[in-house]
Amino acid sequence: MTYDPSLRVLTVLELLQAREEVTGAELAQRLEVSPRTVQRYVARLQDLGIPVEGRRGVGGAYRLRPGFRLPPMMFTPDEALSLSLGLLALRLLGLSQLAPAAGAAQAKLARTLPQTLRETVNALEGAVQLDASPWVVRTDARLLTDVLRAVRERRQVGLTYTSVQGQGTQRVVDLYRAVHLDGRWYAVGWCHLRAERRSFRLDRIGELEVLESAFTPPADFDALAFLRASLPATPATHAVSVWLGASPEALRAQVSLWGTALRAESGGTRFEGQRDNLTSFAAFLLGLGVPLRVDHPPELREEFRALGQRCAVLAGPAMPPTMVYDPVSSAP
C-alpha cells in the first residue's frame, strides 16, 4: 500500500490512540518503512506537541502518555449522520475500490465521536439499507483520483479513449469537471484532438497521465448541463404510459430512469417515458413479473399480442432440434 508522508504520520497517531502500546517493528511493517523512518515520524508527532513515549532496545515500543487523548471531533447529530450516510453511499457511485477506505473512515469517525453519537453511527450500517442501481458502472477509483487532481490543479491530461465503436484514440484534454450521471462517471473538458468541448466516460478511458502543461478553465461552466445536452438522444418515437402493480421504490432498481418518470398511482406506479423499440419494451415489461395495464400507445398492445402468439408457439409441442422458431414465417 502507498502512503504519503503526512498520511504515515497520521497513521502512527491513529495506531497509538487505538492501542496501549505499539512496537517499532509493527509500525515499520504497517507503514512499509524502516524502523529509523518510524523514529522520524514519532519525532514529528512530538514536535506537534503529541506526548509520544518510547522504550528503546530489543522489542522497543511506543505509546501515548497515559491519560492523553485528542479531544473528540465536534459534530452535531445531523453532521455525524450526514458523514456516515455519505460514506455508506460511496458504494452506489461505482467506486467499489474505496469500500475498505470508507469502512476505515467510518470506524475512525465512530471512535472520535462522543458516546451518544458514537452509538448512532455504529448502528447506522445495520439500520440502513441502500440499494445500488443496476445501471451503475464500476469505475476505477485511482483513475477518478487522477481526474480530480487534474481538475483541481488545472493541468492537461493525456489519455487513451475507446469510442462506442471500439476505436481507440490518443487525446490531450483540458479537464473542467468530473460528473456522475445516470450511474456513470464522466470527465468533461476541451479535447484538443477534436478542437471542441467533449465528455469522456471514465470506464472507456485507458491510460491517463496528468501533464505539466496548465490551462485556464472557462468561468461559470456548467458541466452537468453540458453533459445532459451533449449525450446522444435516443431516437424515441413512442410516448409510453403504463400502469404497473408495484411501488416506485421497488421499480427504481429495475427501470432505467433516463427519460422516464415514475409516480405512485392507485396502489402501483404510473410509468411514463419515451421508447423507440416497443417489441423489446413489451418483453421487458413482462420480465418485471408484476401486474400491468397499457394505456398508451395502442401499438404497444399489438406488440403484446404478437409476443403472446410467439410464446404460444414456443410453449406448444416440442419442435425437432433442427427447427428454429422464425417470427416472420410464423406471423398470421
Side-chain angles (χ1 to χ4, degrees):
M1 184 175 180
T2 302
Y3 295 84
D4 62 45
S6 60
L7 181 56
R8 289 188 178 106
V9 173
L10 292 175
T11 302
V12 171
L13 178 58
E14 177 69 23
L15 291 172
L16 291 174
Q17 289 192 104
R19 298 169 57 179
E20 182 176 343
E21 190 176 82
V22 186
T23 68
E26 288 178 290
L27 290 172
Q29 182 179 12
R30 175 68 178 269
L31 300 176
E32 301 176 358
V33 298
S34 68
R36 185 177 296 276
T37 303
V38 169
Q39 293 175 8
R40 292 204 302 269
Y41 296 152
V42 170
R44 176 59 177 156
L45 288 173
Q46 292 170 335
D47 291 341
L48 294 172
I50 307 298
V52 181
E53 300 175 346
R55 186 178 71 244
R56 297 184 179 277
V58 179
Y62 300 96
R63 69 172 186 174
L64 291 176
R65 187 177 61 206
F68 174 82
R69 283 292 182 271
L70 288 174
M73 300 179 71
M74 301 305 294
F75 291 113
T76 67
D78 286 347
E79 290 170 343
L81 180 62
S82 298
L83 287 170
S84 300
L85 285 174
L87 290 169
L88 290 176
L90 268 179
R91 69 191 67 176
L92 307 184
L93 299 179
L95 301 172
S96 57
Q97 291 170 315
L98 293 182
Q106 185 85 353
K108 291 179 182 178
L109 176 64
R111 285 199 300 271
T112 57
L113 292 172
Q115 182 63 31
T116 53
L117 287 181
R118 185 183 312 155
E119 293 174 355
T120 299
V121 169
N122 286 338
L124 187 63
E125 188 161 3
V128 173
Q129 287 183 292
L130 300 177
D131 186 23
S133 167
W135 314 108
V136 171
V137 176
R138 183 175 179 178
T139 300
D140 187 331
R142 293 185 182 276
L143 175 60
L144 178 60
T145 298
D146 289 339
V147 167
L148 296 177
R149 174 190 164 204
V151 172
R152 182 181 67 253
E153 298 179 1
R154 299 183 176 185
R155 292 166 58 183
Q156 294 179 340
V157 300
L159 57 85
T160 302
Y161 193 69
T162 302
S163 67
V164 178
Q165 294 75 25
Q167 179 181 4
T169 53
Q170 298 292 326
R171 312 286 186 101
V172 174
V173 183
D174 303 345
L175 293 183
Y176 301 155
R177 292 287 188 279
V179 179
H180 187 263
L181 177 66
D182 200 31
R184 291 187 174 92
W185 281 98
Y186 297 83
V188 178
W190 180 267
C191 176
H192 288 262
L193 177 65
R194 305 303 186 200
E196 62 181 357
R197 290 173 180 171
R198 285 292 183 95
S199 63
F200 302 91
R201 277 176 45 177
L202 263 62
D203 58 302
R204 290 185 182 157
I205 294 178
E207 299 297 324
L208 183 144
E209 179 185 3
V210 181
L211 307 176
E212 293 298 326
S213 49
F215 68 93
T216 301
D220 302 323
F221 176 67
D222 189 335
L224 180 58
F226 170 82
L227 182 61
R228 288 188 182 278
S230 63
L231 289 178
T234 302
T237 56
H238 300 279
V240 173
S241 180
V242 178
W243 181 87
L244 298 170
S247 67
E249 292 74 22
L251 293 171
R252 284 192 181 100
Q254 304 179 68
V255 177
S256 172
L257 300 182
W258 187 266
T260 299
L262 300 177
R263 69 174 188 275
E265 179 184 304
S266 304
T269 299
R270 170 62 57 183
F271 176 110
E272 293 180 326
Q274 301 286 327
R275 292 296 184 270
D276 64 314
N277 190 323
L278 293 181
T279 301
S280 61
F281 183 61
F284 165 76
L285 290 176
L286 283 180
L288 291 176
V290 300
L292 63 93
R293 182 183 72 244
V294 175
D295 293 323
H296 189 80
E299 294 85 352
L300 182 56
R301 288 192 286 272
E302 293 300 324
E303 292 293 343
F304 276 110
R305 292 190 184 95
L307 188 60
Q309 292 171 355
R310 179 178 179 182
C311 290
V313 171
L314 292 173
M319 293 182 292
T322 56
M323 292 183 62
V324 177
Y325 172 75
D326 184 348
V328 176
S329 61
S330 301

